[in-house]
Amino acid sequence: MTDQPPPIIRTRDVGVSFGGVSVLRNVNVDIRPAEIHGLVGENGAGKSTLGKVLGGYYAASAGSLEIGGAAVSVWTPHIALKNGIAMMHQELQLVPALTVAQNVFLGIEGQRFGVLRNNEATRLGELMQSTGFSLDPHAVTSHLPIADQQKIEVLRALARDAKVIIMDEPTSSLSKDEIINLHQTMVTLRENGRSVVYVSHFLDDILEVCDRITVLRDGDQISTLAASEITKPDLVSAILGGDKTETLFPKKVPPADPGAKPVLSVRGLKSANGTQSAAFDIGPGEIVGLVGLVGSGRTEIARAIIGADAAEGIVELDGQPYVERNPARSTQRGLVMVPEDRRGLGLVMTLPVRPNITLPHLRRFSTSGVLRTGEEKNEVARLIDYFQVRPNAIDGDISRYSGGNQQKVLLGKWLVSNPRVIILDEPSRGVDVGAREKIHQAIVEIAAQGTAIVLISSEIDEVLGLAHRAYLVDRGRTMEEIVPDNLTEKNVLAQLFALQNAG
């Protein structure tokens, strides 16, 4: 029998610590040639940290790393790439001012006799043919939605012609068709002898496409098994560390006064960013969903409501016209938005947790311009405890937190002022089953206290599981109203596709 080739990458008792805090311990994982290897676990379990160790972005504090059977002492992203290992990050690592093609081939531009050939657009066209993606090579990256920017990250990793591509949550903003295309790309890479490390919280996707799966929990390696040997309930149980087998939505709490006047009314809203005709009402204590396919204009409607983008039409708060809108004034009026892009629009990654939560509310914690730090710290500690943020340090380094814990901090930021209306744009994007459940519970509890919540989510089951009512959105227009309790995800998708086909 022929000996199996050595793993392309192998970790031996690898551990990682930040500031004396251990986040990964005694991990032994091998990435074999021509396999798709899944990494799963709750946010904060260490899966992204492990991915960054493999990609050279984090140095192991303990243990060793082997590449092709040989131990390495120095391991950086540049050295990793030279050894055929590329990483696609969960949080986008793009240059906003560059075009799609320039970002994809940044650092590996075509040259002839030392002169740039400027043929990136042609090369990108060939690369996209193999993935099923469709992007304008000349489009400026900052002008594209998150979903398209995420495609650029996928293409950039593929353009490196790597033997191993580490994909950290690559599907969190992609449509179902785009996810299918990406999975087909992974399979093609495997058939060509390459390997993929697939970090994801979408367990159905992991089970569908992976050969083996490693489960991490609280920095510890729980198991590594063939995907064919484990079921989804078993996988969820291993991730959560108990007998729980699926994320359940909390019981809906009906609004205390269902006949109350709307706290927010929108009529005939139009904006240059793509909102064509938005109209809906929401009362105190209601959770109202905006449901649409990727690119349907849900985020654009939200931005127009809070004044982030100039818009025409009528917006009323508590029955009074709200004109001359802008985000700062909306916050003062109790109308806030938790954005989809938590790093680019929601958090200041160079500041610790405490100012990230209190920055918009400093007047509340100040007297004659002097900050009452004790009161500020108490409020931050309360919100950290409520959302079960880990690590639970009020001045923790937010840039080191997992995506799910960053999301909890972002939600806490907008609860300080007890707003009248919260618009949640993809509140569980990049969030694992455990953190997602906590966020869902918080949404229901916040609404039960009388806050109106507008819920935007690409995961239709999330809207159906949480919202009292919902509106279908297509091409910047709110269409028919639906009652989630009477529908399935399949029903809603059929209606959305029918709207698209209606033109």
Side-chain angles (χ1 to χ4, degrees):
M1 182 175 177
T2 306
D3 290 337
Q4 291 289 324
I8 303 175
I9 311 174
R10 171 177 282 166
T11 67
R12 292 188 177 275
D13 298 322
V14 158
V16 176
S17 298
F18 297 125
V21 178
S22 174
V23 297
L24 210 60
R25 293 170 294 278
N26 301 315
V27 173
N28 293 278
V29 170
D30 57 279
I31 308 303
R32 300 170 182 171
E35 80 160 346
I36 303 173
H37 193 119
L39 295 182
V40 299
E42 292 192 79
N43 283 101
K47 54 190 187 295
S48 291
T49 300
L50 178 57
K52 289 178 180 178
V53 170
L54 302 180
Y57 290 86
Y58 288 163
S61 308
S64 61
L65 189 69
E66 295 180 1
I67 305 299
V72 295
S73 55
V74 179
W75 193 243
T76 66
H78 180 68
I79 296 174
L81 194 56
K82 286 181 68 175
N83 282 270
I85 299 164
M87 181 164 189
M88 181 199 147
H89 297 266
Q90 175 183 359
E91 305 296 349
L92 305 179
Q93 307 284 311
L94 303 174
V95 182
L98 295 184
T99 66
V100 171
Q102 288 170 334
N103 263 299
V104 170
F105 296 103
L106 186 63
I108 55 170
E109 295 87 353
Q111 298 184 32
R112 184 177 178 84
F113 304 118
V115 179
L116 295 179
R117 299 180 64 185
N118 197 28
N119 64 343
E120 283 75 29
T122 301
R123 294 168 67 194
L124 180 59
E126 295 169 355
L127 184 62
M128 286 194 295
Q129 263 192 329
S130 67
T131 63
F133 291 164
S134 179
L135 295 171
D136 178 0
H138 305 290
V140 177
T141 299
S142 62
H143 298 167
L144 298 175
I146 289 290
D148 284 348
Q149 292 186 31
Q150 202 152 16
K151 293 179 202 173
I152 298 173
E153 280 279 20
V154 175
L155 290 165
R156 188 162 72 167
L158 295 176
R160 269 63 188 171
D161 197 31
K163 292 182 292 185
V164 179
I165 299 177
I166 304 158
M167 297 186 177
D168 192 358
E169 302 286 4
T171 64
S172 57
S173 291
L174 301 183
S175 69
K176 289 195 173 182
D177 284 344
E178 290 163 343
I179 291 171
I180 291 171
N181 287 336
L182 179 60
H183 286 176
Q184 290 173 341
T185 299
M186 291 182 185
V187 171
T188 300
L189 289 169
R190 180 178 62 194
E191 290 172 347
N192 291 335
R194 304 185 194 188
S195 301
V196 175
V197 178
Y198 189 8
V199 182
S200 179
H201 67 280
F202 292 112
L203 303 186
D204 289 324
D205 293 349
I206 286 285
L207 288 166
E208 175 187 335
V209 76
C210 290
D211 300 297
R212 293 188 300 142
I213 302 169
T214 292
V215 179
L216 298 174
R217 188 198 311 145
D218 295 330
D220 296 313
Q221 181 179 354
I222 303 304
S223 61
T224 296
L225 295 170
S228 59
E229 297 175 358
I230 191 168
T231 65
K232 184 179 179 182
D234 291 338
L235 195 56
V236 174
S237 181
I239 289 170
L240 298 180
D243 56 7
K244 193 176 217 180
T245 59
E246 186 58 273
T247 300
L248 300 177
F249 291 102
K251 184 179 179 180
K252 295 181 183 180
V253 179
D257 186 2
K261 292 182 179 179
V263 63
L264 172 69
S265 293
V266 176
R267 293 287 182 273
L269 198 63
K270 298 181 181 180
S271 68
N273 72 351
T275 303
Q276 298 298 319
S277 178
F280 65 91
D281 296 317
I282 181 169
E286 264 198 308
I287 303 174
V288 171
L290 298 183
V291 186
L293 303 172
V294 173
S296 61
R298 298 158 302 168
T299 296
E300 288 75 11
I301 291 172
R303 289 177 57 86
I305 290 171
I306 68 167
D309 296 319
E312 300 176 356
I314 297 172
V315 175
E316 292 183 348
L317 283 174
D318 292 313
Q320 299 300 313
Y322 176 28
V323 295
E324 298 181 3
R325 298 183 302 281
N326 61 58
R329 191 161 180 237
S330 291
T331 299
Q332 294 171 1
R333 296 284 299 269
L335 171 61
V336 302
M337 177 178 174
V338 179
E340 173 187 13
D341 183 0
R342 56 178 168 260
R343 289 176 67 99
L345 299 174
L347 299 171
V348 182
M349 303 309 294
T350 55
L351 294 178
V353 169
R354 177 161 46 123
N356 263 294
I357 289 178
T358 61
L359 198 58
H361 318 287
L362 291 181
R363 289 185 180 180
R364 171 178 170 175
F365 300 105
S366 302
T367 302
S368 301
V370 178
L371 188 64
R372 302 190 300 276
T373 55
E375 185 178 337
E376 180 197 26
K377 288 179 179 178
N378 287 340
E379 178 65 6
V380 172
R382 180 186 71 83
L383 289 165
I384 285 176
D385 182 64
Y386 175 69
F387 280 106
Q388 299 173 12
V389 177
R390 297 294 181 268
N392 61 349
I394 62 173
D395 287 314
D397 182 354
I398 193 75
S399 68
R400 299 284 193 182
Y401 282 38
S402 68
N405 283 299
Q406 289 177 1
Q407 187 72 8
K408 292 176 185 177
V409 171
L410 180 57
L411 289 168
K413 170 182 179 179
W414 293 115
L415 292 184
V416 172
S417 58
N418 297 314
R420 298 279 288 136
V421 183
I422 301 178
I423 302 175
L424 300 175
D425 192 0
E426 304 288 3
S428 62
R429 185 176 78 89
V431 170
D432 66 83
V433 290
R436 174 188 302 249
E437 202 165 83
K438 178 58 189 174
I439 290 171
H440 289 168
Q441 186 63 46
I443 290 171
V444 171
E445 291 174 357
I446 294 163
Q449 296 168 12
T451 301
I453 296 179
V454 179
L455 176 62
I456 298 171
S457 177
S458 297
E459 297 180 43
I460 294 173
D461 67 328
E462 186 170 46
V463 176
L464 298 181
L466 295 173
H468 301 109
R469 297 183 295 115
Y471 293 84
L472 302 182
V473 178
D474 179 57
R475 283 162 288 189
R477 303 167 296 171
T478 51
M479 309 297 281
E480 55 195 279
E481 180 182 337
I482 61 174
V483 180
D485 292 346
N486 300 335
L487 296 169
T488 66
E489 181 176 1
K490 184 177 180 180
N491 298 147
V492 176
L493 275 173
Q495 292 184 58
L496 289 173
F497 284 125
L499 290 175
Q500 282 197 331
N501 294 335

PDB file of all heavy atoms in Angstrom, residues 54-57 65 67 72-86 163:
ATOM      1  N   LEU A  54      -2.907  29.413  10.753  1.00  0.00           N
ATOM      2  CA  LEU A  54      -2.562  28.679   9.537  1.00  0.00           C
ATOM      3  C   LEU A  54      -2.132  29.624   8.421  1.00  0.00           C
ATOM      4  O   LEU A  54      -1.240  29.304   7.628  1.00  0.00           O
ATOM      5  CB  LEU A  54      -3.758  27.839   9.067  1.00  0.00           C
ATOM      6  CG  LEU A  54      -4.314  26.800  10.052  1.00  0.00           C
ATOM      7  CD1 LEU A  54      -5.498  26.064   9.429  1.00  0.00           C
ATOM      8  CD2 LEU A  54      -3.242  25.825  10.490  1.00  0.00           C
ATOM      9  N   GLY A  55      -2.772  30.792   8.367  1.00  0.00           N
ATOM     10  CA  GLY A  55      -2.466  31.751   7.307  1.00  0.00           C
ATOM     11  C   GLY A  55      -1.306  32.672   7.615  1.00  0.00           C
ATOM     12  O   GLY A  55      -0.936  33.499   6.777  1.00  0.00           O
ATOM     13  N   GLY A  56      -0.709  32.555   8.813  1.00  0.00           N
ATOM     14  CA  GLY A  56       0.464  33.362   9.153  1.00  0.00           C
ATOM     15  C   GLY A  56       0.171  34.698   9.784  1.00  0.00           C
ATOM     16  O   GLY A  56       1.091  35.483  10.035  1.00  0.00           O
ATOM     17  N   TYR A  57      -1.115  34.982  10.058  1.00  0.00           N
ATOM     18  CA  TYR A  57      -1.469  36.293  10.611  1.00  0.00           C
ATOM     19  C   TYR A  57      -1.280  36.345  12.123  1.00  0.00           C
ATOM     20  O   TYR A  57      -1.070  37.410  12.688  1.00  0.00           O
ATOM     21  CB  TYR A  57      -2.908  36.642  10.240  1.00  0.00           C
ATOM     22  CG  TYR A  57      -3.054  36.940   8.764  1.00  0.00           C
ATOM     23  CD1 TYR A  57      -3.268  35.915   7.843  1.00  0.00           C
ATOM     24  CD2 TYR A  57      -2.940  38.243   8.284  1.00  0.00           C
ATOM     25  CE1 TYR A  57      -3.372  36.173   6.491  1.00  0.00           C
ATOM     26  CE2 TYR A  57      -3.038  38.515   6.932  1.00  0.00           C
ATOM     27  CZ  TYR A  57      -3.255  37.473   6.037  1.00  0.00           C
ATOM     28  OH  TYR A  57      -3.342  37.730   4.691  1.00  0.00           O
ATOM     29  N   LEU A  65       4.105  24.338  14.129  1.00  0.00           N
ATOM     30  CA  LEU A  65       3.404  24.268  12.845  1.00  0.00           C
ATOM     31  C   LEU A  65       4.308  23.558  11.849  1.00  0.00           C
ATOM     32  O   LEU A  65       5.506  23.851  11.768  1.00  0.00           O
ATOM     33  CB  LEU A  65       3.082  25.689  12.362  1.00  0.00           C
ATOM     34  CG  LEU A  65       2.179  25.859  11.145  1.00  0.00           C
ATOM     35  CD1 LEU A  65       0.748  25.437  11.484  1.00  0.00           C
ATOM     36  CD2 LEU A  65       2.185  27.316  10.688  1.00  0.00           C
ATOM     37  N   ILE A  67       4.706  22.398   7.709  1.00  0.00           N
ATOM     38  CA  ILE A  67       4.263  22.614   6.337  1.00  0.00           C
ATOM     39  C   ILE A  67       4.913  21.553   5.467  1.00  0.00           C
ATOM     40  O   ILE A  67       6.144  21.463   5.380  1.00  0.00           O
ATOM     41  CB  ILE A  67       4.648  24.025   5.825  1.00  0.00           C
ATOM     42  CG1 ILE A  67       4.100  25.107   6.763  1.00  0.00           C
ATOM     43  CG2 ILE A  67       4.135  24.224   4.399  1.00  0.00           C
ATOM     44  CD1 ILE A  67       2.593  25.115   6.898  1.00  0.00           C
ATOM     45  N   VAL A  72       8.217  24.690  10.816  1.00  0.00           N
ATOM     46  CA  VAL A  72       8.584  26.066  10.461  1.00  0.00           C
ATOM     47  C   VAL A  72       8.722  26.880  11.743  1.00  0.00           C
ATOM     48  O   VAL A  72       7.972  26.701  12.694  1.00  0.00           O
ATOM     49  CB  VAL A  72       7.540  26.716   9.528  1.00  0.00           C
ATOM     50  CG1 VAL A  72       7.502  26.012   8.193  1.00  0.00           C
ATOM     51  CG2 VAL A  72       6.159  26.735  10.164  1.00  0.00           C
ATOM     52  N   SER A  73       9.704  27.773  11.757  1.00  0.00           N
ATOM     53  CA  SER A  73       9.930  28.609  12.938  1.00  0.00           C
ATOM     54  C   SER A  73       9.393  30.017  12.748  1.00  0.00           C
ATOM     55  O   SER A  73       8.950  30.659  13.696  1.00  0.00           O
ATOM     56  CB  SER A  73      11.431  28.672  13.261  1.00  0.00           C
ATOM     57  OG  SER A  73      12.161  29.113  12.127  1.00  0.00           O
ATOM     58  N   VAL A  74       9.436  30.494  11.511  1.00  0.00           N
ATOM     59  CA  VAL A  74       8.912  31.838  11.193  1.00  0.00           C
ATOM     60  C   VAL A  74       7.784  31.658  10.184  1.00  0.00           C
ATOM     61  O   VAL A  74       7.961  31.015   9.141  1.00  0.00           O
ATOM     62  CB  VAL A  74      10.005  32.748  10.609  1.00  0.00           C
ATOM     63  CG1 VAL A  74       9.419  34.109  10.278  1.00  0.00           C
ATOM     64  CG2 VAL A  74      11.161  32.891  11.598  1.00  0.00           C
ATOM     65  N   TRP A  75       6.620  32.234  10.478  1.00  0.00           N
ATOM     66  CA  TRP A  75       5.453  32.029   9.622  1.00  0.00           C
ATOM     67  C   TRP A  75       4.670  33.331   9.546  1.00  0.00           C
ATOM     68  O   TRP A  75       4.106  33.783  10.535  1.00  0.00           O
ATOM     69  CB  TRP A  75       4.586  30.899  10.185  1.00  0.00           C
ATOM     70  CG  TRP A  75       3.516  30.376   9.256  1.00  0.00           C
ATOM     71  CD1 TRP A  75       2.177  30.423   9.448  1.00  0.00           C
ATOM     72  CD2 TRP A  75       3.716  29.724   8.017  1.00  0.00           C
ATOM     73  NE1 TRP A  75       1.514  29.841   8.402  1.00  0.00           N
ATOM     74  CE2 TRP A  75       2.445  29.389   7.493  1.00  0.00           C
ATOM     75  CE3 TRP A  75       4.858  29.382   7.273  1.00  0.00           C
ATOM     76  CZ2 TRP A  75       2.269  28.747   6.282  1.00  0.00           C
ATOM     77  CZ3 TRP A  75       4.681  28.730   6.057  1.00  0.00           C
ATOM     78  CH2 TRP A  75       3.406  28.426   5.577  1.00  0.00           C
ATOM     79  N   THR A  76       4.681  33.955   8.394  1.00  0.00           N
ATOM     80  CA  THR A  76       3.991  35.222   8.165  1.00  0.00           C
ATOM     81  C   THR A  76       3.060  35.064   6.970  1.00  0.00           C
ATOM     82  O   THR A  76       3.184  34.087   6.209  1.00  0.00           O
ATOM     83  CB  THR A  76       4.995  36.343   7.868  1.00  0.00           C
ATOM     84  OG1 THR A  76       5.645  36.061   6.607  1.00  0.00           O
ATOM     85  CG2 THR A  76       6.047  36.452   8.974  1.00  0.00           C
ATOM     86  N   PRO A  77       2.125  36.004   6.757  1.00  0.00           N
ATOM     87  CA  PRO A  77       1.259  35.902   5.574  1.00  0.00           C
ATOM     88  C   PRO A  77       2.043  35.827   4.270  1.00  0.00           C
ATOM     89  O   PRO A  77       1.678  35.080   3.353  1.00  0.00           O
ATOM     90  CB  PRO A  77       0.412  37.175   5.659  1.00  0.00           C
ATOM     91  CG  PRO A  77       0.378  37.504   7.112  1.00  0.00           C
ATOM     92  CD  PRO A  77       1.719  37.117   7.639  1.00  0.00           C
ATOM     93  N   HIS A  78       3.140  36.576   4.189  1.00  0.00           N
ATOM     94  CA  HIS A  78       3.950  36.570   2.966  1.00  0.00           C
ATOM     95  C   HIS A  78       4.610  35.208   2.751  1.00  0.00           C
ATOM     96  O   HIS A  78       4.596  34.651   1.637  1.00  0.00           O
ATOM     97  CB  HIS A  78       5.015  37.665   3.040  1.00  0.00           C
ATOM     98  CG  HIS A  78       5.902  37.728   1.834  1.00  0.00           C
ATOM     99  ND1 HIS A  78       5.432  38.116   0.596  1.00  0.00           N
ATOM    100  CD2 HIS A  78       7.223  37.429   1.669  1.00  0.00           C
ATOM    101  CE1 HIS A  78       6.421  38.077  -0.281  1.00  0.00           C
ATOM    102  NE2 HIS A  78       7.513  37.659   0.341  1.00  0.00           N
ATOM    103  N   ILE A  79       5.163  34.646   3.835  1.00  0.00           N
ATOM    104  CA  ILE A  79       5.793  33.332   3.732  1.00  0.00           C
ATOM    105  C   ILE A  79       4.741  32.269   3.429  1.00  0.00           C
ATOM    106  O   ILE A  79       4.970  31.347   2.632  1.00  0.00           O
ATOM    107  CB  ILE A  79       6.559  33.002   5.030  1.00  0.00           C
ATOM    108  CG1 ILE A  79       7.715  33.984   5.229  1.00  0.00           C
ATOM    109  CG2 ILE A  79       7.081  31.570   5.000  1.00  0.00           C
ATOM    110  CD1 ILE A  79       8.430  33.835   6.556  1.00  0.00           C
ATOM    111  N   ALA A  80       3.575  32.392   4.079  1.00  0.00           N
ATOM    112  CA  ALA A  80       2.489  31.438   3.819  1.00  0.00           C
ATOM    113  C   ALA A  80       2.092  31.463   2.348  1.00  0.00           C
ATOM    114  O   ALA A  80       1.909  30.405   1.726  1.00  0.00           O
ATOM    115  CB  ALA A  80       1.287  31.759   4.707  1.00  0.00           C
ATOM    116  N   LEU A  81       1.966  32.661   1.787  1.00  0.00           N
ATOM    117  CA  LEU A  81       1.561  32.774   0.381  1.00  0.00           C
ATOM    118  C   LEU A  81       2.624  32.172  -0.534  1.00  0.00           C
ATOM    119  O   LEU A  81       2.300  31.507  -1.533  1.00  0.00           O
ATOM    120  CB  LEU A  81       1.316  34.247   0.034  1.00  0.00           C
ATOM    121  CG  LEU A  81       0.581  34.533  -1.276  1.00  0.00           C
ATOM    122  CD1 LEU A  81      -0.760  33.818  -1.309  1.00  0.00           C
ATOM    123  CD2 LEU A  81       0.380  36.029  -1.454  1.00  0.00           C
ATOM    124  N   LYS A  82       3.896  32.365  -0.191  1.00  0.00           N
ATOM    125  CA  LYS A  82       4.975  31.771  -0.991  1.00  0.00           C
ATOM    126  C   LYS A  82       4.924  30.242  -0.938  1.00  0.00           C
ATOM    127  O   LYS A  82       5.368  29.570  -1.862  1.00  0.00           O
ATOM    128  CB  LYS A  82       6.334  32.270  -0.488  1.00  0.00           C
ATOM    129  CG  LYS A  82       6.627  33.714  -0.872  1.00  0.00           C
ATOM    130  CD  LYS A  82       7.988  34.156  -0.373  1.00  0.00           C
ATOM    131  CE  LYS A  82       9.109  33.417  -1.097  1.00  0.00           C
ATOM    132  NZ  LYS A  82      10.446  33.926  -0.693  1.00  0.00           N
ATOM    133  N   ASN A  83       4.366  29.721   0.166  1.00  0.00           N
ATOM    134  CA  ASN A  83       4.220  28.279   0.315  1.00  0.00           C
ATOM    135  C   ASN A  83       2.859  27.777  -0.178  1.00  0.00           C
ATOM    136  O   ASN A  83       2.487  26.630   0.071  1.00  0.00           O
ATOM    137  CB  ASN A  83       4.421  27.871   1.771  1.00  0.00           C
ATOM    138  CG  ASN A  83       5.870  27.826   2.182  1.00  0.00           C
ATOM    139  OD1 ASN A  83       6.527  26.788   2.070  1.00  0.00           O
ATOM    140  ND2 ASN A  83       6.397  28.951   2.634  1.00  0.00           N
ATOM    141  N   GLY A  84       2.110  28.646  -0.845  1.00  0.00           N
ATOM    142  CA  GLY A  84       0.857  28.228  -1.458  1.00  0.00           C
ATOM    143  C   GLY A  84      -0.336  28.227  -0.533  1.00  0.00           C
ATOM    144  O   GLY A  84      -1.296  27.497  -0.755  1.00  0.00           O
ATOM    145  N   ILE A  85      -0.307  29.080   0.525  1.00  0.00           N
ATOM    146  CA  ILE A  85      -1.418  29.138   1.475  1.00  0.00           C
ATOM    147  C   ILE A  85      -1.943  30.570   1.519  1.00  0.00           C
ATOM    148  O   ILE A  85      -1.223  31.501   1.901  1.00  0.00           O
ATOM    149  CB  ILE A  85      -0.968  28.678   2.874  1.00  0.00           C
ATOM    150  CG1 ILE A  85      -0.490  27.223   2.804  1.00  0.00           C
ATOM    151  CG2 ILE A  85      -2.103  28.824   3.883  1.00  0.00           C
ATOM    152  CD1 ILE A  85       0.306  26.778   3.991  1.00  0.00           C
ATOM    153  N   ALA A  86      -3.200  30.748   1.119  1.00  0.00           N
ATOM    154  CA  ALA A  86      -3.814  32.074   1.068  1.00  0.00           C
ATOM    155  C   ALA A  86      -4.996  32.111   2.021  1.00  0.00           C
ATOM    156  O   ALA A  86      -5.622  31.082   2.294  1.00  0.00           O
ATOM    157  CB  ALA A  86      -4.267  32.401  -0.348  1.00  0.00           C
ATOM    158  N   LYS A 163      -2.322  26.333  -2.917  1.00  0.00           N
ATOM    159  CA  LYS A 163      -2.592  24.918  -2.649  1.00  0.00           C
ATOM    160  C   LYS A 163      -3.644  24.774  -1.554  1.00  0.00           C
ATOM    161  O   LYS A 163      -4.385  23.797  -1.519  1.00  0.00           O
ATOM    162  CB  LYS A 163      -1.302  24.214  -2.228  1.00  0.00           C
ATOM    163  CG  LYS A 163      -0.266  24.092  -3.317  1.00  0.00           C
ATOM    164  CD  LYS A 163       0.959  23.343  -2.835  1.00  0.00           C
ATOM    165  CE  LYS A 163       1.729  24.133  -1.790  1.00  0.00           C
ATOM    166  NZ  LYS A 163       2.994  23.493  -1.385  1.00  0.00           N
TER     167      LYS A 163
END
